Amino acid sequence: MMIVMKDGATEEQVEGVVEKLHSIGAEAHLSRGEFKTIIGAVGDREKISEIPLAVLSGVESVIPVMKPFKLVSREFHPEGTVVKVGGAELGGKKFTVIAGPCAVESEEQVVAAAKAAKAAGAHILRGGAFKPRTSPYSFQGLGEEGLKLLALARDITGLPVVTEIVDVRHVDLVTEYADMLQVGARNMQNFLLLREIGLQQKPVMLKRGMSSTIEEMLMAAEYIVRGGNKNVVLCERGIRTFETATRNTLDLSAIPLVKGTSHLPIIVDPSHATGKREIIAALSMGAMAVGADGIMVEMHPDPRAALCDGAQSLDFSQFENLMADLTNLAPTLGRTL
Ligand code: PEP
Ligand code: MN
């Protein structure tokens, strides 16, 4: 249930509604827009409907929300959310580019990638320190050493860093070094992890599970926001289909659909969606055209030598070309880089 307060409703009137909800054991989540405050009531539907909410002082209207997700819905927060990550922003007019290697491999590699990303105009550096690999025999990441190298690359370039968290026991460790936590496709429905990172305020990039529906992704985001962390960015990274020509199938339709039903920013990861560096530029431009808030792409000083995902990693000159293509396209779509 969404309780829309009248323009200029007083703090006491808002508090009055919140107290009523608390008195029957319901949660009250506030969304304060420029003019309106909306209160999201979450709890026992029947008990909530017994409160005469519509006649409480300062209340304009009461809207039942039929969708299973509430706090991430557009009804609850009509304006788009803008998430700040260091000096970068996701969710505004700007098209934000996150770039870097799949995995942090060495100081030389990650610092070179960070410098090239910065020089070409990227806004955020990515790099995995804890890698969720299909095979236990594949490179698993450098762990804390990798986090330290990311922090070093940030110090050198000024780029904020995003890195994956794979274990609920790593929350303190990863938040100590990262500017944004990434929840990977394999952990999108790791509900304990989602709950835990909802209790802290570092921004979170939540990647769509490879077999998850859009609604399941929004429900996963709801776990994080419900815990109190509103800084969530969604990421479409391709889903499993019968097609084998690409690693996954990029679902670009998810972008305008999510934009219509949720206030959260959403970006596209064409690297993991396709597994093919040759088509990453085309899909990045497609992502901008359908209204994504940015992209995340993998790049590496020497993709052929990469310990992870070399076939989908751009080299530095390919990444520069991609940035030039996006910069040319942006004004036509009313975006800036
Ligand atoms: C990644 O971005 O490093 C990654 C492992 O991607 P995904 O979780 O989408 O497979
Ligand atoms: Mn990768």
Side-chain angles (χ1 to χ4, degrees), residues 3-219:
I3 300 122
V4 182
M5 302 300 290
K6 289 182 180 147
D7 286 1
T10 65
E11 268 313 302
E12 285 95 62
Q13 289 172 327
V14 172
E15 218 14 71
V17 176
V18 170
E19 272 172 23
K20 271 270 184 295
L21 291 168
H22 285 168
S23 72
I24 54 132
E27 290 172 23
H29 297 266
L30 297 194
S31 163
R32 293 182 195 273
E34 203 179 326
F35 303 109
K36 286 203 185 308
T37 296
I38 300 177
I39 303 169
V42 183
D44 185 324
R45 255 181 182 271
E46 257 180 48
K47 278 195 186 158
I48 295 174
S49 62
E50 278 165 19
I51 309 177
L53 289 165
V55 300
L56 293 183
S57 168
V59 172
E60 182 179 280
S61 58
V62 178
I63 308 171
V65 179
M66 297 307 168
K67 300 187 188 83
F69 50 89
K70 321 274 180 212
L71 307 178
V72 304
S73 72
R74 275 258 176 219
E75 284 98 334
F76 178 53
H77 197 284
E79 298 120 55
T81 285
V82 177
V83 174
K84 288 192 166 57
V85 183
E89 270 186 10
L90 291 127
K93 239 175 143 24
K94 231 176 135 108
F95 189 79
T96 299
V97 177
I98 305 174
C102 180
V104 178
E105 298 169 9
S106 67
E107 177 175 332
E108 198 188 1
Q109 173 246 19
V110 72
V111 170
K115 284 182 176 168
K118 170 84 181 179
H123 310 97
I124 300 174
L125 174 69
R126 66 148 286 145
F130 294 95
K131 293 301 304 173
R133 304 304 301 278
T134 302
S135 165
Y137 306 112
S138 301
F139 177 56
Q140 303 285 310
L142 297 179
E144 185 169 4
E145 180 56 24
L147 297 176
K148 287 184 177 158
L149 294 177
L150 280 170
L152 173 71
R154 171 182 52 213
D155 290 347
I156 294 171
T157 59
L159 290 177
V161 302
V162 56
T163 194
E164 182 161 353
I165 175 162
V166 295
D167 191 320
V168 73
R169 291 167 296 185
H170 293 168
V171 175
D172 289 343
L173 177 67
V174 182
T175 52
E176 187 186 331
Y177 295 100
D179 300 290
M180 183 182 220
L181 309 179
Q182 175 175 321
V183 176
R186 288 155 192 81
N187 270 314
M188 192 204 81
Q189 288 190 313
N190 182 339
F191 299 117
L192 281 182
L193 182 61
L194 300 177
R195 262 185 228 264
E196 206 60 35
I197 59 180
L199 298 175
Q200 55 85 56
Q201 291 302 314
K202 275 270 157 88
V204 177
M205 187 211 293
L206 178 66
K207 299 190 81 175
R208 181 176 180 181
M210 58 192 84
S211 307
S212 298
T213 63
I214 293 169
E215 187 171 292
E216 284 163 347
M217 172 168 64
L218 291 167
M219 292 309 291

Side-chain angles (χ1 to χ4, degrees), residues 101-103 126 131 247 271-272 298 308-309 312:
C102 180
R126 66 148 286 145
K131 293 301 304 173
R247 186 172 171 181
S271 306
H272 292 91
E298 290 185 340
C308 186
D309 287 351
Q312 68 196 34

